[in-house]
């Protein structure tokens, strides 16, 4: 086994092993103390930096994170245009999404929409899989995605990025993107302002049916950041604005054989304000944060576009308040300690307005000021013994509804060199605890306009508890690196959706606990420099999530995923890329009957550096034209998670104005 070879190697010349073919590809790192990044133990941290997103011509976060082994993206609502992360079989509610080290709440009723985060402000994205660290809360049972944003630069900088995509098979469905970033510093002050807007026009794969596959959406992402140096401290304020409006057209049955149009509109706006102070204090670094977040999620459901009123309108208001105090990098007798406390409160209100006729309006309060409070404290140590790095830790959390829980974890890494080989080995064992979310307990979501189904909350849910195990090895020689990671996660009371019998054509889903679930698999990858100007990367993941009571696979989790990427630097001006992604077949129901087919996509990309400040880029996406079957007008939904957008021509211009 590769790991055993690393355990008996010679002394390591450096305590941090980093594998990197060039500046933009995924890196795997050990202990990290990046500013506002993942303060973590010797566990595998995978990184995508801003150059990677630029090189792949990605416009939002969801397009990039699925390039990491073990991470996939699920369309959480078939036609709602939102995308959430899956890590090693754990869904959106068990994956913690952070911006500059601070968690962000689910920004819609469908979960946190990764596609709302534009790439214009991304310095790097760090991903830790599994419950590896005591430094993150219960939602990190599946893993952590931390988005590190750009910081103000001393030199005034203004960047503009314009791009557009057009499907080759039809005139509809044009996509347009605008990204702006401005940064400057004066004296002890630094400021940064970003804005992006991405749009897509609706399109239809079958003009004979009422339902349209491609939704019409407009998504905006803006930030304003300011900081000031005060002696050894830095005070900062950050405002994040997310806004998205998506309109989809589906069909609903008016009788056993007649269908009419149904419109679904999702309008979500998030305001996130963060105030912080960070700097050297005594023997460590102190970080204090106040964070307030509000999300307004408005859904127009199952609406008849021919009427002047909305048949069903659901308004949901999320509010999140939190205080973080973190004291890190405390050097004591060869130990490096990090400790912190967290106080947070989540509040939600939900109302539904229904109209059967224009004259009668019915208002219903679904959720009235439901609050969830939790108090958490944690400590984690890091120390070395010869070539081994140990990081034990524990996180204690108290929830108003479910009481207290202590989650111990330990990470062990070994670093070594032997001849021309460098090794890093890791073992992680950790426990996890996650209380049911507000959405899982209380929400009622009518998606009859999307696929003739309704989802209702379940206030009788039990908390999830887990034991996570990861073991892996990374070997580097010359300009080639190879890594493998084996994982096994056992979860009690896993919360997932189940279907209830209704006796009608409509489908009813709710949340329920699965007594025992196992998630297991392997991730392997290789990066190499084939020629002086040609680099290649190959990833493969096998992952299965099994309900041990029924011995069936959980729905919407592909068994196999893979990626092949080749970069060719023709010269200092031209750069060519080819990227192929494979997503295996998956069951779309927990009875393991209905299957969404496997598919393979292929993209070809080109960049041309016209001047040092002007970059032209273009791509031909989904060359194989892998696309889902057109949605029929039917009371029985057909779930097909292959791509909606077929072959597409994409052009863009990025320029540094100042």
């Amino acid at each position: 086994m590769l790991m055993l070879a690393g355990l008996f190697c010679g002394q390591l010349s450096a305590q941090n092993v980093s594998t990197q073919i060039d500046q933009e590809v995924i890196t795997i790192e050990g202990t990290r103390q990046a500013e506002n990044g993942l303060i973590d133990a010797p566990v595998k941290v995978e990184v995508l930096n801003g150059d990677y997103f630029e090189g792949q011509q990605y416009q939002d976060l969801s397009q990039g994170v699925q390039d990491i082994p073990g991470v996939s993206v699920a369309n959480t609502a078939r036609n709602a245009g939102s995308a959430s992360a899956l890590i090693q079989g754990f869904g959106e509610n068990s994956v913690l999404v952070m911006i500059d080290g601070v968690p962000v709440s689910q920004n819609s009723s469908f979960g946190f929409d990764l596609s709302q985060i534009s790439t214009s402000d991304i310095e790097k994205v760090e991903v830790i899989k599994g419950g590896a660290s005591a430094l993150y809360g219960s939602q990190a049972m599946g893993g952590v995605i931390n988005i590190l944003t750009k910081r103000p630069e001393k030199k005034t900088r203004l960047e503009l990025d314009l791009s557009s995509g057009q499907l080759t098979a039809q005139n509809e469905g044009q996509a347009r993107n605008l990204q702006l970033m401005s940064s400057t510093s004066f004296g002890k002050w630094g400021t940064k302002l970003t804005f992006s807007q991405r749009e897509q026009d609706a399109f239809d794969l079958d003009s004979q049916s009422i339902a349209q596959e491609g939704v019409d959406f407009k998504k905006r992402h803006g930030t304003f950041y300011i900081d000031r140096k005060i002696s050894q401290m830095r005070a900062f304020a950050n405002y994040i604005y997310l806004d998205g409006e998506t309109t989809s057209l589906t069909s609903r049955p008016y009788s056993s054989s007649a269908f009419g149009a149904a419109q679904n509109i999702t309008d979500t706006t998030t305001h996130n304000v963060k105030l912080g102070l960070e700097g050297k204090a005594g023997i460590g670094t102190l970080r204090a944060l106040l964070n307030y977040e509000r999300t307004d999620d408005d859904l127009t459901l199952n609406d008849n576009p021919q009427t002047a009123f909305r048949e069903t309108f659901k308004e949901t208001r999320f509010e999140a308040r939190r205080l973080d105090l973190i004291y890190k990098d405390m050097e004591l007798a060869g130990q490096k300690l990090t400790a912190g406390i967290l106080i947070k409160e989540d509040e939600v209100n939900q109302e539904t307005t229904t109209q059967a006729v224009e004259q009668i309006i019915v208002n219903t309060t679904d959720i009235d000021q439901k609050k969830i409070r939790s108090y958490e404290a944690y400590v984690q140590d890091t120390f070395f013994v010869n070539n081994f790095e140990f990081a034990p830790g524990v996180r204690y959390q108290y929830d108003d509804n479910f009481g207290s829980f202590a989650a111990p974890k330990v990470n062990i890494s070994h670093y070594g060199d032997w001849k021309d080989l460098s090794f890093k080995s890791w073992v992680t064992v950790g426990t996890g605890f996650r209380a049911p979310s507000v959405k899982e307990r209380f929400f009622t979501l009518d998606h009859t306009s999307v696929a003739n189904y309704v989802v209702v909350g379940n206030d009788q849910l039990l908390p999830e508890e887990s034991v996570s195990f990861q073991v892996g090895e990374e070997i580097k020689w010359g300009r080639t690196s190879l890594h493998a990671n084996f994982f096994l996660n056992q979860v009690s009371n896993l919360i997932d959706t189940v279907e209830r019998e209704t006796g009608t054509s409509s489908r009813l889903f709710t949340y329920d606990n699965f007594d025992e679930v196992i998630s297991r698999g392997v991730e392997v990858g290789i990066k190499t420099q084939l020629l002086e100007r040609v680099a290649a990367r190959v990833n493969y993941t096998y992952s299965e999530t099994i309900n041990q009571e029924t011995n069936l696979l959980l729905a919407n989790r592909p068994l196999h995923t893979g990626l092949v990427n080749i970069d060719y630097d023709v010269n200092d001006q031209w750069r060519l890329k080819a990227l192929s992604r494979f997503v295996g077949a998956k069951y779309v129901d927990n009875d393991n009957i209905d299957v969404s087919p496997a598919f393979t996509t292929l993209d070809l990309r080109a960049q041309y550096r016209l001047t040092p400040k002007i970059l032209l880029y273009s791509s031909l996406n989904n060359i194989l034209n892998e696309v889902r079957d057109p949605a029929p007008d039917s009371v029985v939904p057909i779930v097909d998670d292959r791509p909606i957008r077929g072959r597409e021509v994409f052009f863009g211009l990025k320029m540094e104005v100042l």
Side-chain angles (χ1 to χ4, degrees):
M1 183 177 176
L2 293 174
M3 182 180 178
L4 295 177
L7 290 175
F8 294 96
C9 293
Q11 294 294 313
L12 179 70
S13 58
Q15 292 178 346
N16 185 18
V17 175
S18 173
T19 66
Q20 193 167 353
I21 297 302
D22 62 30
Q23 287 298 312
E24 69 174 41
V25 300
I26 297 172
T27 62
I28 303 171
E29 306 195 20
T31 300
R32 301 181 47 78
Q33 297 295 339
E35 181 181 7
N36 296 331
L38 294 173
I39 318 158
D40 213 282
V43 63
K44 187 175 69 168
V45 181
E46 298 195 66
V47 181
L48 298 176
N49 63 26
D51 289 340
Y52 183 84
F53 287 94
E54 179 184 282
Q56 297 293 357
Q57 303 176 21
Y58 292 148
Q59 300 298 307
D60 65 66
L61 180 63
S62 70
Q63 296 173 315
V65 294
Q66 58 188 317
D67 291 355
I68 296 176
V71 181
S72 58
V73 171
N75 295 315
T76 51
R78 305 301 175 200
N79 287 352
S82 62
S84 65
L86 284 164
I87 298 181
Q88 294 182 346
F90 286 91
E92 66 202 54
N93 295 319
S94 298
V95 175
L96 185 64
V97 180
M98 311 172 75
I99 297 178
D100 292 326
V102 178
V104 287
S105 303
Q106 296 180 351
N107 61 340
S108 78
S109 298
F110 306 114
F112 187 83
D113 184 7
L114 298 176
S115 68
Q116 279 201 306
I117 303 295
S118 78
T119 58
S120 60
D121 194 31
I122 293 179
E123 178 69 24
K124 66 173 68 174
V125 175
E126 302 175 320
V127 176
I128 286 181
K129 304 166 195 169
S133 173
L135 304 182
Y136 306 104
S138 57
Q139 195 178 348
M141 184 183 295
V144 180
I145 298 174
N146 187 35
I147 306 151
L148 291 173
T149 61
K150 297 176 181 177
R151 286 290 169 260
E153 300 182 16
K154 292 183 178 180
K155 179 183 175 182
T156 299
R157 187 182 184 93
L158 176 61
E159 291 183 348
L160 171 66
D161 194 332
L162 298 170
S163 59
S164 179
Q166 178 61 59
L167 301 174
T168 61
Q170 51 200 142
N171 295 324
E172 302 171 306
Q174 186 183 58
R176 298 170 295 276
N177 308 286
L178 163 68
Q179 299 190 74
L180 283 168
M181 195 278 287
S182 173
S183 174
T184 189
S185 295
F186 47 96
K188 295 183 178 181
W189 293 87
T191 63
K192 181 196 66 179
L193 180 67
T194 69
F195 176 77
S196 72
Q197 178 166 302
R198 285 157 292 129
E199 302 177 359
Q200 175 186 280
D201 297 333
F203 60 94
D204 197 357
L205 299 179
D206 181 8
S207 59
Q208 302 302 312
S209 64
I210 297 174
Q212 291 183 338
E213 286 74 26
V215 301
D216 186 290
F217 71 70
K218 183 178 294 184
K219 299 185 180 185
R220 304 177 187 89
H221 175 199
T223 65
F224 175 72
Y225 174 90
I226 185 169
D227 65 15
R228 188 183 191 281
K229 293 181 180 178
I230 306 172
S231 185
Q232 291 185 298
M233 306 295 287
R234 179 176 61 92
F236 58 91
N238 192 22
Y239 168 68
I240 302 171
Y241 169 75
L242 299 170
D243 178 71
E245 181 175 317
T246 302
T247 302
S248 63
L249 188 65
T250 60
S251 60
R252 60 178 178 178
Y254 286 166
S255 66
S256 59
S257 59
F259 291 85
Q263 193 175 57
N264 187 62
I265 301 174
T266 303
D267 189 355
T268 304
T269 303
T270 296
H271 304 275
N272 188 300
V273 179
K274 182 167 51 184
L275 302 175
L277 184 69
E278 183 175 39
K280 190 69 177 177
I283 61 172
T285 300
L286 176 66
R287 191 169 192 232
L289 286 169
L290 279 173
N291 183 233
Y292 171 77
E293 185 178 62
R294 170 167 173 161
T295 296
D296 298 302
D297 190 32
D298 298 336
L299 304 177
T300 300
L301 299 162
N302 204 25
D303 184 57
N304 183 349
Q306 297 182 353
T307 62
F309 54 89
R310 294 177 292 192
E311 281 79 6
T312 304
F313 179 61
K314 189 176 292 288
E315 300 174 274
T316 307
R317 305 289 175 262
F318 298 90
E319 288 188 78
R321 308 167 186 89
R322 61 183 289 140
L323 167 66
D324 288 88
L325 292 175
I326 307 167
Y327 197 34
K328 60 185 181 180
D329 301 344
M330 293 181 285
E331 301 278 358
L332 292 171
Q335 315 289 304
K336 182 175 286 187
L337 295 171
T338 296
I341 60 172
L342 164 65
I343 302 171
K344 64 178 182 177
E345 177 185 77
D346 295 333
E347 178 181 341
V348 65
N349 293 273
Q350 189 179 63
E351 296 181 354
T352 301
T353 301
T354 57
Q355 288 182 263
V357 295
E358 188 170 5
Q359 296 81 8
I360 300 176
I361 302 175
V362 178
N363 293 313
T364 304
T365 299
D366 302 319
I367 306 173
D368 185 17
Q369 291 186 323
K370 291 289 187 181
K371 295 183 179 181
I372 294 178
R373 298 183 183 90
S374 63
Y375 312 88
E376 304 180 19
Y378 53 87
V379 62
Q380 184 162 280
D381 186 16
T382 302
F383 59 92
F384 286 87
V385 177
N386 297 324
N387 287 9
F388 290 87
E389 186 176 12
F390 296 86
V394 63
R395 190 178 190 100
Y396 169 82
Q397 51 199 86
Y398 175 81
D399 184 279
D400 279 354
N401 295 280
F402 298 100
S404 60
F405 187 87
K409 306 168 189 286
V410 63
N411 300 290
I412 305 171
S413 276
H414 177 272
Y415 305 93
D417 294 327
W418 182 69
K419 294 185 178 182
D420 295 331
L421 301 178
S422 296
F423 298 89
K424 178 190 173 184
S425 313
W426 59 85
V427 175
T428 297
V429 180
T431 59
F433 174 87
R434 187 180 77 85
S437 68
V438 170
K439 181 182 75 172
E440 293 163 333
R441 292 175 61 188
F442 303 117
F443 276 24
T444 299
L445 297 172
D446 186 339
H447 294 313
T448 50
S449 67
V450 178
N452 194 35
Y453 69 89
V454 177
V455 181
V456 297
N458 179 3
D459 196 21
Q460 304 302 312
L461 291 171
L462 300 174
E464 298 175 343
E465 297 184 24
S466 71
V467 177
S468 175
F469 177 75
Q470 313 254 343
V471 58
E473 180 75 33
E474 176 194 13
I475 303 176
K476 180 182 178 182
W477 65 99
R479 304 175 74 178
T480 298
S481 67
L482 171 69
H483 76 270
N485 183 62
F486 300 87
F487 61 90
L488 173 64
N489 305 297
Q490 186 165 359
V491 187
S492 300
N493 300 321
L494 178 74
I495 300 171
D496 208 342
T497 53
V498 296
E499 185 170 2
R500 301 297 191 201
E501 183 64 43
T502 64
T504 68
S505 60
S506 296
R507 305 179 73 186
L508 175 66
F509 293 86
T510 187
Y511 297 96
D512 206 349
N513 291 112
F514 292 88
D515 290 340
E516 295 292 339
V517 172
I518 283 183
S519 168
R520 62 194 178 199
V522 60
E523 305 155 356
V524 295
I526 185 170
K527 298 192 289 266
T528 187
Q529 199 77 28
L530 296 174
L531 300 170
E532 183 62 29
R533 290 183 173 269
V534 180
R537 176 164 53 93
V538 180
N539 294 332
Y540 169 75
T541 301
Y542 176 81
S543 175
E544 58 182 26
T545 309
I546 303 172
N547 182 349
Q548 290 189 280
E549 184 177 354
T550 62
N551 204 32
L552 297 175
L553 294 169
L554 265 61
N556 301 312
R557 293 161 170 86
L559 288 173
H560 307 274
T561 58
L563 176 143
V564 178
N565 185 56
I566 299 176
D567 289 359
Y568 176 31
D569 288 327
V570 182
N571 51 43
D572 292 340
Q573 291 179 299
W574 281 99
R575 190 173 198 181
L576 305 178
K577 292 176 177 285
L579 185 145
S580 180
R581 184 179 290 117
F582 170 76
V583 178
K586 60 183 179 182
Y587 290 112
V588 295
D589 66 320
N590 288 323
D591 293 326
N592 290 185
I593 297 174
D594 298 324
V595 175
S596 179
F599 63 90
T600 300
T601 60
L602 174 63
D603 302 336
L604 296 180
R605 295 170 180 144
Q607 290 183 349
Y608 178 69
R609 178 65 66 177
L610 182 63
T611 73
K613 293 188 175 183
I614 299 178
L615 178 69
L616 304 176
Y617 57 90
S618 179
S619 64
L620 184 58
N621 298 324
N622 198 358
I623 293 175
L624 304 177
N625 201 33
E626 281 277 6
V627 67
R628 67 183 56 180
D629 292 331
D633 298 325
S634 171
V635 296
V636 180
I638 298 176
V639 180
D640 187 344
D641 280 341
R642 287 177 292 178
I644 297 177
R645 295 183 70 86
R647 189 179 298 113
E648 175 187 35
V649 179
F650 190 77
F651 295 97
L653 163 68
K654 184 175 183 179
M655 61 187 302
E656 189 176 332
V657 181
L658 294 175

